[in-house]
Amino acid sequence: MHDTPTVSALEVALDLPRERLIEWLYQMHLIRAFEETVEQLYAAGKMHGTMHLSIGQEAVAVGAIAALRPDDYITSTHRGHGHAIAKGQDIRAMLAELLGKETGVCRGRGGSMHLADLERGNLGANGIVAGGIPIAVGAGLSIRMQGQDRVVLCFFGDGAANHGNFHEGLNMAAIWRLPVVFLCENNQYAMSMPIRKAMAVPRVADRAAAYGIPGETVDGMDVLAVYRAVRTAVDRARRGEGPTLIEAITYRYKGHSKSDRQVYRTKEEVQAWMARDPIARFRAWLIAHGWLSEAEAAGIEAQARQVVEEALRIAEGDPEPRVDQLTEGVYAEDPHMPPLWIRQTFGPGTAVEPPPGTRELSYAEALREAMAQAMAADERVFLIGEDIGVYGGAFGVTQGLIERFGPDRVRDTPISENTIVGAGVGAALTGMRPIVEMQFMDFVTLAMEQTVLQAAKVRYMFGGKARVPLVLRLPGGSGTGAAAQHSESLEAWFVHVPGLKVVAPATPYDAKGLLLAALADENPVIFVEHKLLYRTRGPVPEEPYVVPLGRAAVRRPGRHVTVVAYSVMVLRALEAAERLAAEGIEAEVIDLRTLKPYDAETVIASARKTGRLLIVHEAPRLGGFGGELAAAIAQSEAFAYLEAPIVRLGGADVPIPYHPRLERAAVPQVEDIVEAARRLARLEI
């Protein structure tokens, strides 16, 4: 005999029409039928990859999402089939996705762990434990900043409650009173680790007290109890009272994934939980209270199974993706110049690389002006980072913007790098255009998950249907005596990641024009700013303008040797070229300006002309961007014109030291460029 719902069930039910209660039972049966079907398909070898079933947890998905409005958002998990179905996702498109079909909800690019439907407010299932929590925070921030009457429901498992994202995310949502409901599906195990061994407190909900928000534990096998708790939390969030943490005690009948042998639990334990099956309980309760008959209940289950069978029949005949479409959807490209956002924001006549004029600004001032002009013209643009308000960031670049635009749009954060970036991702997915600042490039190592596994990948994983217009500003490089943990040049890491673009301006003119171009881009852009450049000065037009990504600049023409550089090395290369000219060696200096995409054509044309190529960057030579560029040139038509091997000049394979003489020796200086170019020009390599 199944126990029946107990938490004010009748009180909750009396507030709801019969049809809605029946729909909940149908949804639970639909989720169960869907997952039992895909389990069979995986067992038969008809589905690829892996899967994580939520059989036994249907009451949480249905009860929680029933408390939302259609335009509310959810973030989901790798165990997200039930969430997607309860949010209204098309069953056929889901099955097509799991079968790897072009008609899949993510065009066969995402699979079971990455189901998303942005039109229905599903911001995506997530293969990273706790990966959706920062994104939910960002979506909640976006709602607040846009003045919308929406809520975000953030699903995660008990294993995620021990992750840094959980603590960073709940804290940030709490201090900003964001409309986010955090729902922990405590199914007792994070793969094989039981919850009792993973925490020192009895309940996940107990942790809410640390963030000054309500916490509640509910019976996750009772759809009415889940609905009541989530509805209360959702109403609270809509009133502007901030987030709630709800822990739904539930159980997964199946293993963590299809490869889980379940050696960590007994059959008796599983059977005891199955005796409290949420579907059987709710069905029995509805019948006992006269909401439906036994025959009607059987018909609802049969209908759900028939819908899944019919959807599968159609999906199995759908076409598979074509190999020639492999790279579609990695980037959202705007072929127009100036880009659409620039034209909409500043007008169709916005200049592209206009004459620099005579007005001079520092590099930092040029960046600040670009941000101020963008923020003044588009309320969706905002800044987020540590100490960017009163102090203007670690280097004062955003100084004064908080006085002009207020703390809502120049948003100081706790020290929470991963959630800072994740908040940017969530905000970008939901209509905002965030500029995220790390105090130092080195600190992005603490945010690699949200940068590399989320920002870079969600568009492609979701079938090219997402846009993530996010700019991540990274002050990097040596020369300030900050030593090993505040002086790195990590740009090559991000060039390696599909879905990211990488920009590294060397002049104030380019700093402004490239930042506006990066803001206009619909993809996440890594914006590298060398710390030694902030005080350099140069001509900068006053009006908004763009410097296109992927277009290099010839800073000095020459005929004997080509020197390719970016960021601070451009200035050193130009100084080296002056010294070389005194010796009769004319070096052509090329400023790449952007590393991804990069302008191979300009480099090839110069290498063909001079026959000699020197590539300079501050990052260590081993694994640096120079290796990629050298390989590309060696594979191009320019190789036949080279009269000497390509030379790469990079930093030493050493963490940046504190001692000034050692720090200087760790990265290329002007004299190093002079010597390398001289030897190359004279074939003394």
Side-chain angles (χ1 to χ4, degrees):
M1 185 73 178
H2 298 289
D3 59 341
T4 55
T6 57
V7 184
S8 304
L10 187 58
E11 177 187 344
V12 172
L14 288 175
D15 290 339
L16 300 167
R18 173 183 180 275
E19 293 75 18
R20 195 164 185 204
L21 297 174
I22 303 306
E23 175 63 21
W24 292 1
L25 180 62
Y26 170 72
Q27 286 185 338
M28 292 167 72
H29 275 302
L30 192 63
I31 295 168
R32 181 72 59 89
F34 178 92
E35 295 212 302
E36 288 177 346
T37 298
V38 299
E39 182 182 30
Q40 294 167 5
L41 290 168
Y42 270 104
K46 294 183 178 181
M47 284 188 175
H48 178 62
T50 190
M51 64 172 178
H52 303 79
L53 299 175
S54 62
I55 294 174
Q57 300 180 204
E58 295 88 354
V60 182
V62 172
I65 292 175
L68 301 179
R69 297 175 186 166
D71 64 341
D72 288 329
Y73 295 118
I74 69 167
T75 58
S76 184
T77 71
H78 55 276
R79 202 178 308 282
H81 301 153
H83 309 150
I85 292 172
K87 198 68 172 73
Q89 202 152 331
D90 182 69
I91 295 290
R92 174 195 169 183
M94 289 178 63
L95 286 167
E97 182 64 29
L98 270 62
L99 289 166
K101 303 292 187 175
E102 179 67 26
T103 54
V105 68
C106 298
R107 298 181 63 199
R109 272 70 167 175
S112 174
M113 290 191 291
H114 307 118
L115 296 171
D117 192 337
L118 301 180
E119 291 184 359
R120 288 180 172 83
N122 183 352
L123 301 180
N126 212 300
I128 305 301
V129 172
I133 295 177
I135 295 172
V137 171
L141 178 60
S142 174
I143 289 169
R144 173 64 53 79
M145 295 185 73
Q146 295 184 72
Q148 298 172 338
D149 183 25
R150 283 174 159 175
V151 170
V152 186
L153 176 59
C154 175
F155 289 98
F156 59 94
D158 51 279
N162 299 309
H163 196 286
N165 282 350
F166 171 86
H167 300 283
E168 289 185 8
L170 265 67
N171 182 61
M172 197 174 287
I175 62 173
W176 292 340
R177 300 173 71 87
L178 299 180
V180 184
V181 177
F182 297 99
L183 179 52
C184 175
E185 295 180 282
N186 182 353
N187 63 18
Q188 313 305 308
Y189 293 95
M191 193 164 181
S192 66
M193 170 67 78
I195 185 71
R196 66 182 182 276
K197 292 184 178 181
M199 298 194 316
V201 293
R203 295 295 186 196
V204 172
D206 294 342
R207 292 179 168 176
Y211 307 106
I213 64 175
E216 181 179 359
T217 299
V218 300
D219 182 0
M221 309 298 273
D222 178 351
V223 67
L224 292 170
V226 174
Y227 169 76
R228 189 191 71 157
V230 175
R231 185 184 67 179
T232 300
V234 165
D235 290 346
R236 179 176 182 274
R238 285 198 207 283
R239 292 193 300 268
E241 297 174 17
T244 300
L245 172 61
I246 298 172
E247 176 186 20
I249 306 298
T250 184
Y251 199 78
R252 54 172 167 83
Y253 299 167
K254 303 295 181 177
H256 169 72
S257 65
K258 70 172 186 175
S259 58
D260 182 4
R261 293 182 291 117
Q262 305 184 60
V263 295
Y264 49 87
R265 61 184 185 180
T266 65
K267 292 181 180 179
E268 291 75 18
E269 177 184 308
V270 177
Q271 290 169 354
W273 278 94
M274 291 177 71
R276 302 179 61 235
D277 184 78
I279 300 177
R281 289 176 72 190
F282 189 49
R283 172 175 168 161
W285 186 88
L286 289 170
I287 292 171
H289 286 80
W291 296 100
L292 80 167
S293 66
E294 290 278 4
E296 289 172 324
I300 289 170
E301 180 177 4
Q303 180 188 1
R305 295 194 177 278
Q306 182 179 356
V307 166
V308 173
E309 290 172 5
E310 178 63 16
L312 176 62
R313 183 188 66 78
I314 298 172
E316 285 184 313
D318 284 346
E320 297 190 2
R322 302 199 316 265
V323 174
D324 63 357
Q325 297 175 322
L326 171 66
T327 59
E328 286 185 2
V330 179
Y331 298 95
E333 297 296 2
D334 182 351
H336 304 96
M337 193 53 62
L340 177 62
W341 180 81
I342 292 289
R343 286 181 279 127
Q344 291 175 336
T345 305
F346 301 115
T350 304
V352 178
E353 289 200 86
T358 58
R359 186 188 69 138
E360 285 203 348
L361 295 180
S362 71
Y363 190 99
E365 289 168 341
L367 291 170
R368 187 182 307 131
E369 184 169 88
M371 288 185 275
Q373 289 176 342
M375 295 173 75
D378 188 343
E379 292 187 351
R380 297 174 300 167
V381 179
F382 72 100
L383 315 182
I384 182 171
E386 298 166 7
D387 298 309
I388 61 173
V390 174
Y391 285 104
F395 299 92
V397 176
T398 58
Q399 188 75 45
L401 294 180
I402 192 169
E403 288 81 7
R404 181 172 176 184
F405 297 102
D408 196 46
R409 293 182 66 198
V410 182
R411 189 168 286 266
D412 277 321
T413 68
I415 299 174
S416 306
E417 283 81 7
N418 205 47
T419 295
I420 294 169
V421 174
V425 175
L429 278 171
T430 54
M432 301 296 283
R433 303 189 87 88
I435 302 174
V436 179
E437 178 183 320
M438 294 282 106
Q439 283 191 332
F440 294 86
M441 175 181 267
D442 315 65
F443 296 175
V444 79
T445 57
L446 300 166
M448 289 297 279
E449 180 252 316
Q450 287 292 317
T451 304
V452 171
L453 299 180
Q454 308 295 343
K457 292 182 170 56
V458 293
R459 176 174 172 80
Y460 189 77
M461 289 193 310
F462 297 170
K465 300 174 185 178
R467 292 175 181 266
V468 189
L470 177 151
V471 177
L472 179 54
R473 293 183 45 239
L474 302 180
S478 66
T480 63
Q485 294 178 340
H486 291 71
S487 306
E488 293 180 280
S489 298
L490 304 175
E491 60 275 2
W493 288 9
F494 301 106
V495 173
H496 186 69
V497 179
L500 297 178
K501 295 186 177 182
V502 183
V503 177
T507 68
Y509 177 94
D510 285 345
K512 178 178 177 178
L514 285 170
L515 183 54
L516 288 174
L519 266 170
D521 209 281
E522 299 294 337
N523 306 282
V525 178
I526 306 298
F527 201 88
V528 180
E529 304 162 11
H530 198 287
K531 300 191 293 284
L532 295 182
L533 293 175
Y534 285 133
R535 295 184 180 181
T536 60
R537 300 186 66 82
V540 179
E542 187 171 353
E543 295 302 315
Y545 62 93
V546 292
V547 173
L549 304 190
R551 187 181 296 178
V554 179
R555 298 296 182 194
R556 179 189 175 106
R559 56 194 177 90
H560 295 126
V561 60
T562 297
V563 182
V564 179
Y566 57 89
S567 190
V568 74
M569 288 300 159
V570 173
L571 276 60
R572 294 180 189 173
L574 288 170
E575 185 176 341
E578 289 290 335
R579 297 188 192 180
L580 290 165
E583 303 176 17
I585 299 173
E586 294 295 334
E588 181 152 292
V589 178
I590 296 177
D591 179 359
L592 284 177
R593 301 198 286 196
T594 64
L595 307 186
K596 191 176 187 181
Y598 69 88
D599 185 353
E601 290 75 15
T602 296
V603 178
I604 289 171
S606 180
R608 287 183 60 177
K609 179 174 68 173
T610 67
R612 295 168 174 82
L613 179 61
L614 171 63
I615 305 169
V616 185
H617 52 69
E618 178 168 317
R621 185 177 67 174
L622 182 63
F625 183 72
E628 164 60 31
L629 189 58
I633 299 303
Q635 290 179 296
S636 75
E637 61 185 74
F639 182 74
Y641 294 85
L642 293 179
E643 299 174 8
I646 299 171
V647 174
R648 292 181 295 140
L649 184 60
D653 188 21
V654 62
I656 299 298
Y658 166 68
H659 190 281
R661 203 160 52 245
L662 294 177
E663 181 180 27
R664 194 173 187 277
V667 301
Q669 303 296 328
V670 174
E671 55 268 27
D672 300 313
I673 300 173
V674 169
E675 178 62 21
R678 180 190 294 131
R679 292 175 63 85
L680 183 57
R682 295 174 179 173
L683 298 181
E684 296 175 355
I685 55 174

